[in-house]
């Protein structure tokens, strides 16, 4: 984890957040991610939970989220939207 969590890429921050129950992680940054995550739309929360906390397979995520499995980019677009929503929530939280 970077010394400055704000400058760390979002993917690494989310991996840190997912590791909270698995071992070594940065608890301060994980708490920031959790607070921002709680403000998201339920669909985005569920997507991020399945990918980073549960580490579910693409097949499971598509089935539970009712995302068509083909083309494969559909899942990536949904995940990108969830990450973008989290980025906006983190930016809003940093302003406050």
């Amino acid at each position: 984890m970077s010394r400055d969590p704000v400058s760390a890429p979002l993917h690494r921050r989310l991996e840190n957040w997912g590791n909270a129950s698995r071992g070594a992680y940065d608890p301060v940054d994980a708490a920031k991610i959790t607070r921002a995550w709680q403000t998201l739309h339920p669909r985005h929360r569920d997507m991020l939970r399945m990918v980073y906390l549960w580490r579910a397979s693409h097949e499971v995520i598509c089935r539970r989220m009712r995302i068509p499995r083909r083309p494969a980019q559909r899942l990536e677009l949904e995940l990108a939207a969830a990450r973008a929503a989290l980025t906006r929530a983190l930016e809003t939280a940093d302003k406050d």
Side-chain angles (χ1 to χ4, degrees), residues 1-95:
M1 194 75 212
S2 172
R3 301 291 280 149
D4 180 16
V6 174
S7 67
L10 182 62
H11 179 71
R12 286 189 36 217
R13 293 180 73 189
L14 284 166
E15 286 179 342
N16 174 67
W17 176 67
N19 285 334
S21 64
R22 291 183 181 87
Y25 73 104
D26 178 359
V28 174
D29 191 51
K32 288 179 185 177
I33 296 289
T34 299
R35 283 191 299 275
W37 174 80
Q38 290 171 338
T39 67
L40 298 179
H41 185 274
R43 185 164 179 85
H44 292 153
R45 278 197 315 256
D46 290 344
M47 174 66 73
L48 294 173
R49 178 187 302 126
M50 283 188 253
V51 171
Y52 292 101
L53 295 178
W54 297 357
R55 296 184 180 176
S57 70
H58 287 186
E59 186 73 22
V60 170
I61 295 169
C62 287
R63 185 174 55 247
R64 290 183 68 114
M65 300 287 296
R66 293 189 169 103
I67 299 170
R69 289 170 185 80
R70 305 259 190 280
Q73 293 84 1
R74 293 287 301 266
L75 176 63
E76 295 304 319
L77 288 172
E78 293 270 351
L79 182 55
R83 286 181 186 141
L86 183 65
T87 299
R88 287 189 301 273
L90 287 166
E91 290 170 355
T92 301
D94 287 342
K95 290 179 184 176

